[in-house]
Amino acid sequence: MISPEEYLLERINQERALRGKKPLSPDRNLTNLALQKSMDMLKNNYFSHFSPTFGNTSDMLRKNKIQYSLAGENLAKAMSISSAFNLFMKSPVHRANILLSAYDSVGIGIVPQKSGSGVIVTIIFSSPRVPLRQ
């Protein structure tokens, strides 16, 4: 049996494959940050790309010494992981993050909502930092 995060990554990579994009690889550090962000939203009762605890995605990556050249974040509150995925794919901005060729790594953090009805999903996308030319 696969985890909810593995299921969502599988769905994301299926969509990427349909459009000739390389699959995203799960990244343990990004996954940890995505889970922290989802848990923070639940604990502090907010839903935003800006966290009062962590700042924005770039702030989180820098504070955790994760190098990147490009990063993005998708958030959803949904009744299920499948419905969160469908919401992402219906939103032009969220779909663009999922399908962006420049991204190669992803972290997914999913937590159940307090009411027990649904989930909070954070996806953090990144591409590696390209060394500067001398």
Side-chain angles (χ1 to χ4, degrees):
M1 181 154 176
I2 66 172
S3 72
E5 292 81 5
E6 290 169 325
Y7 169 77
L8 185 52
L9 178 58
E10 191 174 281
R11 295 283 309 268
I12 288 168
N13 281 334
Q14 287 170 352
E15 284 296 324
R16 289 175 66 89
L18 287 172
R19 291 163 175 82
K21 311 285 183 184
K22 292 181 182 177
L24 296 173
S25 298
D27 179 279
R28 187 181 73 230
N29 294 320
L30 295 177
T31 297
N32 183 43
L33 292 180
L35 183 57
Q36 286 181 42
K37 175 71 181 273
S38 289
M39 290 171 44
D40 186 56
M41 287 190 289
L42 179 70
K43 177 183 172 189
N44 293 306
N45 196 31
Y46 73 94
F47 185 74
S48 172
H49 290 287
F50 183 83
S51 161
T53 307
F54 304 115
N56 63 32
T57 305
S58 296
D59 295 332
M60 289 180 75
L61 295 171
R62 278 193 303 275
K63 287 176 188 170
N64 287 277
K65 297 178 176 37
I66 297 173
Q67 292 192 348
Y68 67 97
S69 57
L70 185 64
E73 179 183 73
N74 282 3
L75 304 176
K77 277 187 175 182
M79 292 305 295
S80 68
I81 295 153
S82 289
S83 62
F85 177 76
N86 291 334
L87 289 170
F88 290 143
M89 293 309 292
K90 288 178 184 176
S91 161
V93 172
H94 294 95
R95 184 176 56 249
N97 271 341
I98 287 171
L99 299 176
L100 190 65
S101 295
Y103 291 141
D104 64 359
S105 300
V106 68
I108 300 171
I110 301 170
V111 297
Q113 293 189 54
K114 286 181 182 176
S115 64
S117 61
V119 292
I120 298 172
V121 179
T122 300
I123 305 174
I124 299 176
F125 303 91
S126 79
S127 56
R129 181 174 295 282
V130 178
L132 297 174
R133 293 185 182 171
Q134 300 287 342

